[in-house]
Amino acid sequence: MAAFSLLPSAHIAPKPTLHFIKASTSDLPKTSPSPPSTKPQLPSHKPHHNIREEARLHNAATVTTNHPRFSAKYVPFTSITGPSSSDESYSLDEIVYRSQSGSLLDVQHDMSALKHFDGAYWRNLFDSRVGKTTWPFGSGVWSKKEWVLPEIDDDDIISAFEGNSNLFWAERYGKDFLGMNDLWVKHCGISHTGSFKDLGMTVLVSQVNRLRKMNKPVVGVGCASTGDTSAALSAYCAAAGIPSLVFLPANRISMAQLVQPIANGAFVLSIDTDFDGCMQLIREVTAELPIYLANSLNSLRLEGQKTAAIEILQQFDWEVPDWVIVPGGNLGNIYAFYKGFSMCKELGLVDKIPRLVCAQAANANPLYLYFKSGWKDFHPVKAKTTFASAIQIGDPVSIDRAVYALKNSNGIVEEATEEELMDAMAQADSTGMFTCPHTGVALTALNKLRRSGVIGPTDRTVVVSTAHGLKFTQSKIDYHSKNIKDMACRLANPPVQVTADFGSVMDVLKKYLLSKSH
Ligand SMILES: Cc1ncc(COP(=O)(O)O)c(C=O)c1O
Ligand SMILES: N[C@@H](CCOP(=O)(O)O)C(=O)O
């Protein structure tokens, strides 16, 4: 059989007023459970406003009221304390990525202001915004604006109405392969640029837009990338008219990922090193030049990414799943999920959080090794080539965030070999999905935990699918052509070559139908 290699390889309990800001009448606290309307009522003789103008008019028609002032700031973060309550803090309008001691930063919200409203209020508010086109709340991220970037002007937001992604009931996959009846796949890759990175990038680029309007020294925005961060950055910057610069490890990302920033007009550097080398370079460059850092070292990104967790709860009508499994590389996303779930608990939308599983490729597994050591020894690794190329990362910048998230969610770390992740991806595809290899890593983790009995048959489990399978077609072609060294590719389903005559076609069809009849 010839191989088919096509390509080169609310009810509001009023509380004492804190600060006062201008808020629209529709945002006034209500004593009834109904959430505020998010749709401005415009005079009928003004039908030609676009949604951004509608929001502008709506915000202009505001009154001063006893609405608490929501705010957020950067604070130092460590794996032991999490976000610190020390005196060190920075405005989100400062350009800062690390604390004085060199630790990570976290965006800390004024929780006492948010607690001015109860859980029912927030649930109703968020639910009221789903499925609308109201600017900016039609976005799954900005529908949670008060918890994301509360102080940004709606007019400064750059959004592609990202989020609101499908939570897919994996009925057949769960039943046939895992004996599970409540398995779900959160398709974060069915998104504007084909990965979950859109969720964070809308926040980061919106804040950059605001900083530039404030005349802060930001000439462009840059990132190191294994392909998805760069795609999202270049798309959002292109939409905003802001220059973007991307550092890519040469020959280590898929063709589809490479073409995304090129098409969106980014300044693309293909560098002869791996992702960790690119990350080091972009950190040095952004320390010297007026280029804003867009990697998840910048905690703004995680504010957007955390909304996927809130969205999962919302999609389950605010019931908490037992498990959420997330593939991990630079390790920002596992913390983002933890933060989203934790905020929902702290603000009374739910009463617990799920157990988190972070899944790594065995070829790039520093977190897994750390976990297995009982959190004793962390050592960066030299990441080896993996089909899950977007997580080929050996020295994750968010290691401390991941450790904190896992320790505080009774979490687990699992790993997947190349064969395991490719088989899992093919198996999921055979039940109607079209997954990426990183989702294959997460599915392998599920498989292992299910077989060892850690995850039970009726446990409600969500696997986070982080990118669209269409970005990784070459790996699927290689698999289904059985064109991978030292891999059985046991689920390969290559096309059958047949001559163009009725008899030959009938022969192969009969053989196929026979094989299906028992
Ligand atoms: C498709 C995909 N899945 C998973 C990840 C891992 O996310 P994180 O780096 O936040 O751990 C990335 C990027 O790193 C990615 O691009
Ligand atoms: N997979 C990422 C790697 C960088 O992660 P980030 O979240 O720190 O930007 C990518 O697509 O580049």
Side-chain angles (χ1 to χ4, degrees), residues 197 224-230 275 294-297 301 330 390 393:
K197 304 287 181 176
S225 183
T226 52
D228 292 323
T229 297
S230 44
F275 171 80
N295 283 102
S296 59
L297 175 63
R301 280 262 312 281
N330 222 10
I393 297 172

Side-chain angles (χ1 to χ4, degrees), residues 169-437:
W169 180 35
E171 181 182 13
R172 198 178 143 224
Y173 184 78
K175 186 162 146 246
D176 287 5
F177 298 116
L178 297 163
M180 294 179 81
N181 64 4
D182 206 2
L183 174 62
W184 302 76
V185 176
K186 177 68 172 164
H187 277 300
C188 294
I190 303 179
S191 178
H192 189 61
T193 69
S195 86
F196 72 96
K197 304 287 181 176
D198 295 340
L199 304 175
M201 211 53 83
T202 181
V203 176
L204 185 133
V205 174
S206 297
Q207 177 66 10
V208 169
N209 196 33
R210 170 181 163 96
L211 295 176
R212 280 163 61 95
K213 286 187 182 177
M214 297 166 98
N215 293 319
K216 298 268 178 177
V218 181
V219 177
V221 193
C223 72
S225 183
T226 52
D228 292 323
T229 297
S230 44
L233 175 66
S234 37
Y236 282 83
C237 279
I242 298 171
S244 61
L245 307 91
V246 304
F247 289 15
L248 302 177
N251 304 318
R252 285 177 170 87
I253 71 170
S254 80
M255 200 60 84
Q257 289 172 311
L258 174 61
V259 81
Q260 288 184 285
I262 291 172
N264 286 143
F267 188 62
V268 179
L269 300 191
S270 176
I271 307 178
D272 188 19
T273 181
D274 56 11
F275 171 80
D276 299 300
C278 289
M279 190 69 223
Q280 181 59 34
L281 283 167
I282 194 76
R283 282 169 68 171
E284 289 168 16
V285 166
T286 50
E288 291 292 318
L289 297 176
I291 299 171
Y292 194 75
L293 180 67
N295 283 102
S296 59
L297 175 63
N298 187 327
S299 47
L300 279 179
R301 280 262 312 281
L302 307 180
E303 291 307 292
Q305 289 172 212
K306 81 183 178 197
T307 62
I310 307 169
E311 212 170 271
I312 288 171
L313 298 176
Q314 196 169 15
Q315 286 167 310
F316 285 133
D317 209 8
W318 305 101
E319 276 181 29
V320 183
D322 299 298
W323 297 93
V324 174
I325 306 177
V326 186
N330 222 10
L331 301 180
N333 211 27
I334 186 77
Y335 176 70
F337 271 87
Y338 170 77
K339 189 169 182 184
F341 288 127
S342 296
M343 280 185 79
C344 286
K345 179 166 178 261
E346 190 176 347
L347 291 166
L349 286 75
V350 294
D351 59 6
K352 59 179 181 178
I353 67 168
R355 289 185 71 181
L356 296 180
V357 179
C358 189
Q360 293 210 293
N363 281 356
N365 62 352
L367 180 73
Y368 176 76
L369 296 177
Y370 193 20
F371 175 73
K372 282 287 166 190
S373 79
W375 301 121
K376 286 201 176 65
D377 295 309
F378 176 72
H379 298 290
V381 301
K382 181 82 188 156
K384 297 196 279 281
T385 305
T386 167
F387 281 104
S389 53
I391 53 175
Q392 190 182 326
I393 297 172
D395 190 8
V397 299
S398 287
I399 182 72
D400 288 350
R401 291 180 176 132
V403 171
Y404 184 79
L406 289 160
K407 283 186 178 170
N408 286 284
S409 63
N410 194 13
I412 294 175
V413 187
E414 260 300 348
E415 67 169 358
T417 65
E418 292 302 289
E419 183 145 22
E420 286 169 341
L421 73 92
M422 290 299 277
D423 282 346
M425 175 176 80
Q427 204 167 50
D429 288 359
S430 76
T431 65
M433 289 178 259
F434 197 74
T435 52
C436 70

Side-chain angles (χ1 to χ4, degrees), residues 119-140:
Y121 170 88
W122 290 116
R123 286 196 302 262
N124 287 337
L125 179 66
F126 295 161
D127 287 348
S128 75
R129 290 170 173 170
V130 176
K132 308 277 168 55
T133 52
T134 313
W135 186 266
F137 306 121
S139 154

Side-chain angles (χ1 to χ4, degrees), residues 8-285:
S9 228
H11 181 79
I12 299 144
K15 293 198 180 154
T17 305
L18 307 170
H19 311 273
F20 294 91
I21 58 163
K22 286 179 82 186
S24 72
T25 43
S26 62
D27 285 338
L28 280 170
K30 305 273 195 312
T31 46
S32 80
S34 58
S37 155
T38 56
K39 189 80 180 168
Q41 297 300 309
L42 291 173
S44 55
H45 62 276
K46 290 238 174 162
H48 298 304
H49 291 292
N50 65 40
I51 53 173
R52 201 186 271 281
E53 288 164 346
E54 280 183 12
R56 210 176 282 147
L57 283 177
H58 172 63
N59 290 338
T62 55
V63 294
T64 302
T65 183
N66 63 338
H67 194 299
R69 179 179 182 274
F70 303 128
S71 64
K73 61 187 180 188
Y74 294 122
V75 298
F77 181 98
T78 73
S79 64
I80 298 157
T81 60
S84 139
S85 48
S86 75
D87 284 346
E88 186 182 348
S89 68
Y90 306 89
S91 155
L92 300 189
D93 294 333
E94 286 183 61
I95 299 173
V96 54
Y97 313 116
R98 290 272 188 193
S99 74
Q100 279 162 11
S101 69
S103 76
L104 294 163
L105 296 175
D106 195 41
V107 174
Q108 189 177 62
H109 290 266
D110 179 349
M111 296 300 277
S112 58
L114 292 171
K115 281 177 186 168
H116 196 73
F117 301 97
D118 66 11
Y121 170 88
W122 290 116
R123 286 196 302 262
N124 287 337
L125 179 66
F126 295 161
D127 287 348
S128 75
R129 290 170 173 170
V130 176
K132 308 277 168 55
T133 52
T134 313
W135 186 266
F137 306 121
S139 154
V141 171
W142 296 107
S143 61
K144 283 99 189 162
K145 184 184 172 207
E146 296 83 350
W147 293 23
V148 173
L149 271 192
E151 290 163 293
I152 196 166
D153 194 309
D154 289 349
D155 221 20
D156 293 344
I157 289 173
I158 308 298
S159 169
F161 278 8
E162 49 291 304
N164 293 321
S165 60
N166 183 15
L167 183 60
F168 172 83
W169 180 35
E171 181 182 13
R172 198 178 143 224
Y173 184 78
K175 186 162 146 246
D176 287 5
F177 298 116
L178 297 163
M180 294 179 81
N181 64 4
D182 206 2
L183 174 62
W184 302 76
V185 176
K186 177 68 172 164
H187 277 300
C188 294
I190 303 179
S191 178
H192 189 61
T193 69
S195 86
F196 72 96
K197 304 287 181 176
D198 295 340
L199 304 175
M201 211 53 83
T202 181
V203 176
L204 185 133
V205 174
S206 297
Q207 177 66 10
V208 169
N209 196 33
R210 170 181 163 96
L211 295 176
R212 280 163 61 95
K213 286 187 182 177
M214 297 166 98
N215 293 319
K216 298 268 178 177
V218 181
V219 177
V221 193
C223 72
S225 183
T226 52
D228 292 323
T229 297
S230 44
L233 175 66
S234 37
Y236 282 83
C237 279
I242 298 171
S244 61
L245 307 91
V246 304
F247 289 15
L248 302 177
N251 304 318
R252 285 177 170 87
I253 71 170
S254 80
M255 200 60 84
Q257 289 172 311
L258 174 61
V259 81
Q260 288 184 285
I262 291 172
N264 286 143
F267 188 62
V268 179
L269 300 191
S270 176
I271 307 178
D272 188 19
T273 181
D274 56 11
F275 171 80
D276 299 300
C278 289
M279 190 69 223
Q280 181 59 34
L281 283 167
I282 194 76
R283 282 169 68 171
E284 289 168 16
V285 166

